[in-house]
Amino acid sequence: MNLRTIGCVELNSVALGMHTADEMLKAASVELVMARPTCPGRYIVVVTGDTGAVKSSVEVGCEIGADMVVDHFTIPSVHEDVIPALSGTSIVPRIDALGVIETCTTASCILAADAAAKAANVSLIEVRMAAGLGGKAYVTMTGDVGSVKASVEAGIEGVGDGGPVHSHVVIPSPSEEIKEQLI
């Protein structure tokens, strides 16, 4: 699966989310990366393909979802760490400094993760999506302190007009117990 361009539509309805996912896939030559419910009763659809097809698919998703669309985006050149972080398959051999960005929507968290990963030499650990988080999401990353600080700042900026950033932190030297919880 070519994951150079991804697009996302996040909705406030599971049923309409499923319908939207189906219409997005039928509207353009895209592949499904993810379509699933998140808390609280939201649904996220992520597709990949060439940039034009992904943009077209997201546009259709926004039309179908209408006022139930919470957030959406298209990233023409997604960072290679984003999809493994989304799927929980990132391989991070060790954790140095820890950066966390917490957002109010899953879509904005993916934008933050992409911008953070592109900004400095960090490794994304995980993008945790709205499961038991009241609709919020967060991304964790590691690297040296300076890189993590730069990445967190870039991630916050990368959210742009999407769902707002709820909170963020850089922990220069997390405890061993916290590190164990992350890997």
Side-chain angles (χ1 to χ4, degrees):
M1 186 181 304
N2 177 8
L3 296 175
R4 293 299 299 156
T5 298
I6 65 170
C8 173
V9 178
E10 184 176 356
L11 301 104
N12 248 345
S13 166
V14 173
L16 187 57
M18 289 180 186
H19 176 66
T20 299
D22 183 60
E23 293 297 328
M24 288 173 67
L25 293 168
K26 291 175 180 174
S29 181
V30 294
E31 294 179 56
L32 186 62
V33 174
M34 170 184 307
R36 65 180 180 155
T38 62
C39 291
R42 291 185 182 167
Y43 198 86
I44 187 161
V45 183
V46 179
V47 296
T48 188
D50 70 48
T51 302
V54 170
K55 284 182 179 180
S56 178
S57 178
V58 169
E59 286 173 10
V60 167
C62 289
E63 289 172 18
I64 299 294
D67 61 344
M68 291 297 219
V69 173
V70 174
D71 206 349
H72 68 281
F73 67 75
T74 300
I75 302 174
S77 185
V78 70
H79 191 278
E80 64 188 20
D81 284 359
V82 172
I83 299 303
L86 266 172
S87 63
T89 60
S90 296
I91 298 172
V92 180
R94 62 181 253 227
I95 295 177
D96 295 318
L98 176 66
V100 183
I101 303 171
E102 181 181 6
T103 62
C104 293
T105 68
T106 299
S108 62
C109 190
I110 298 169
L111 287 170
D114 182 63
K118 289 175 178 172
N121 187 21
V122 297
S123 296
L124 298 182
I125 301 168
E126 180 181 21
V127 174
R128 178 69 60 98
M129 297 184 293
L133 299 172
K136 295 185 290 183
Y138 66 88
V139 58
T140 52
M141 67 203 75
T142 189
D144 65 72
V145 175
S147 295
V148 171
K149 284 182 179 179
S151 289
V152 167
E153 290 173 17
I156 292 166
E157 290 294 318
V159 170
D161 294 333
V165 172
H166 182 71
S167 183
H168 64 281
V169 68
V170 174
I171 304 171
S173 183
S175 68
E176 291 303 317
E177 293 85 357
I178 292 297
K179 290 179 185 180
E180 289 173 16
Q181 294 296 311
L182 296 169
I183 297 182

